């Protein structure tokens, strides 16, 4: 199961140093007459909040037993909700390559400067749905579509090359046969790498991105040779 949120990352919010608190300001939007009405919050409440940059991002999280359960990779504010989530990278702890999970900020405790997630265990974290950004799925679809296009073009080039080789003179035919063989191997390699990516869960697609890229690059080079 894939857990999807439309994320608003906090790059622009880091200096606020507070979770679930809105700034006491009425801002004029550049190039617009619209004003932003925001809730007024006492500055002391802001000052007592957690700094995203200093306290959360990149920090290790532990369970009650003192075992490290992961690292905070991001902080998400759900639109129109007063609940924020930390994105906990728990892959190494649960024993798999990548497993990011969304944990409500309220479940994280600060105990003497150490971030604690009470009750966290390998089984409980592994059972949580994997978090992935909505934009990641769009990028994956675009990546797959481009790879499919490269393979289709290579197959068309191979078919054309084989047709030309069938009527070519002996020397030219030998050269074309070598090019066709290389192109055929590269097509098979690209299809294999792409199939591996498709069989993996959507959140792990980047683990296969480099190998598919390398295979399609070889494919395009083989097409260029064949066309040349």
């Amino acid at each position: 199961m894939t857990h999807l949120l439309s994320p608003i990352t906090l790059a622009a919010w880091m200096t606020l140093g507070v979770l679930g608190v809105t700034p006491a300001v009425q801002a004029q939007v550049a190039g617009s007459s619209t004003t932003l009405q925001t809730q007024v919050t006492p500055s002391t409440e802001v000052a007592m909040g957690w700094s995203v940059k200093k306290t959360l991002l990149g920090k290790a999280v532990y369970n009650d037993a003192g075992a490290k359960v992961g690292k905070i990779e991001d902080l998400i504010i759900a639109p129109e909700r007063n609940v924020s989530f930390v994105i906990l990278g728990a892959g190494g702890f649960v024993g798999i390559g990548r497993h990011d999970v969304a944990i409500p900020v309220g479940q994280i405790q600060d105990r003497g400067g150490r971030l604690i997630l009470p009750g966290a265990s390998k089984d409980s974290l592994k059972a949580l749905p994997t978090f992935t950004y909505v934009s990641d799925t769009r990028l994956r679809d675009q990546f797959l579509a481009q790879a499919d296009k490269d393979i289709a073009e290579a197959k068309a080039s191979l078919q054309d090359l084989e047709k030309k080789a069938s009527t070519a003179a002996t020397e030219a035919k030998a050269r074309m046969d070598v090019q066709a063989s290389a192109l055929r191997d590269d097509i098979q390699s690209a299809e294999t790498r792409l199939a591996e990516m498709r069989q993996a869960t959507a959140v792990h697609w980047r683990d296969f991105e480099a190998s598919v890229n390398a295979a399609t690059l070889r494919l395009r080079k083989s097409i260029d040779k064949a066309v040349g």
Side-chain angles (χ1 to χ4, degrees):
M1 176 180 180
T2 300
H3 182 62
L4 293 176
L5 289 175
S6 296
I8 303 177
T9 54
L10 294 191
W13 287 68
M14 287 181 178
T15 55
L16 293 179
V18 63
L19 306 177
V21 176
T22 51
V25 63
Q26 180 175 348
Q28 182 73 34
V29 179
S32 170
S33 60
T34 304
T35 57
L36 302 178
Q37 300 293 336
T38 56
Q39 178 182 344
V40 176
T41 304
S43 59
T44 53
E45 187 175 336
V46 175
M48 292 176 66
W50 284 0
S51 165
V52 175
K53 183 177 181 180
K54 295 181 179 179
T55 309
L56 294 177
L57 291 183
K59 303 298 181 181
V61 178
Y62 302 84
N63 60 14
D64 302 279
K68 181 180 175 181
V69 299
K71 183 179 71 172
I72 294 180
E73 304 288 351
D74 200 358
L75 183 66
I76 302 295
I77 293 180
E80 299 180 0
R81 293 175 60 183
N82 195 30
V83 177
S84 301
F85 300 82
V86 293
I87 305 305
L88 182 68
F93 178 71
V94 300
I96 56 180
R98 179 88 185 200
H99 190 63
D100 292 348
V101 296
I103 305 292
V105 169
Q107 293 186 19
I108 304 291
Q109 300 177 5
D110 185 346
R111 299 181 187 175
R114 174 175 278 200
L115 300 179
I116 304 295
L117 180 57
S121 67
K122 289 184 178 181
D123 289 338
S124 65
L125 289 176
K126 189 180 291 187
L128 290 177
T130 300
F131 173 86
T132 184
Y133 296 96
V134 172
S135 59
D136 279 354
T137 60
R138 295 195 189 104
L139 290 173
R140 177 179 181 270
D141 290 343
Q142 292 171 3
F143 185 87
L144 291 173
Q146 182 59 54
D148 282 332
K149 182 180 178 181
D150 289 337
I151 291 173
E153 289 179 357
K155 288 182 176 180
S157 295
L158 176 61
Q159 193 172 40
D160 184 56
L161 186 62
E162 289 174 335
K163 184 178 179 180
K164 289 179 179 178
S166 65
T167 58
T170 303
E171 186 176 341
K173 182 180 185 305
R175 185 183 72 254
M176 290 180 184
D177 285 343
V178 171
Q179 292 174 338
S181 178
L183 184 54
R184 197 177 296 111
D185 289 344
D186 288 337
I187 289 172
Q188 184 176 356
S189 175
E191 287 182 324
T192 300
R193 300 286 87 76
L194 194 59
E196 291 172 351
M197 176 184 283
R198 282 200 164 96
Q199 290 169 6
T201 58
V203 74
H204 294 295
W205 76 273
R206 288 195 179 277
D207 296 339
F208 299 88
E209 184 179 13
S211 64
V212 174
N213 265 332
T216 55
L217 179 60
R218 289 195 301 270
L219 198 57
R220 287 191 291 271
K221 288 181 178 178
S222 289
I223 293 174
D224 290 341
K225 287 181 180 179
V227 172

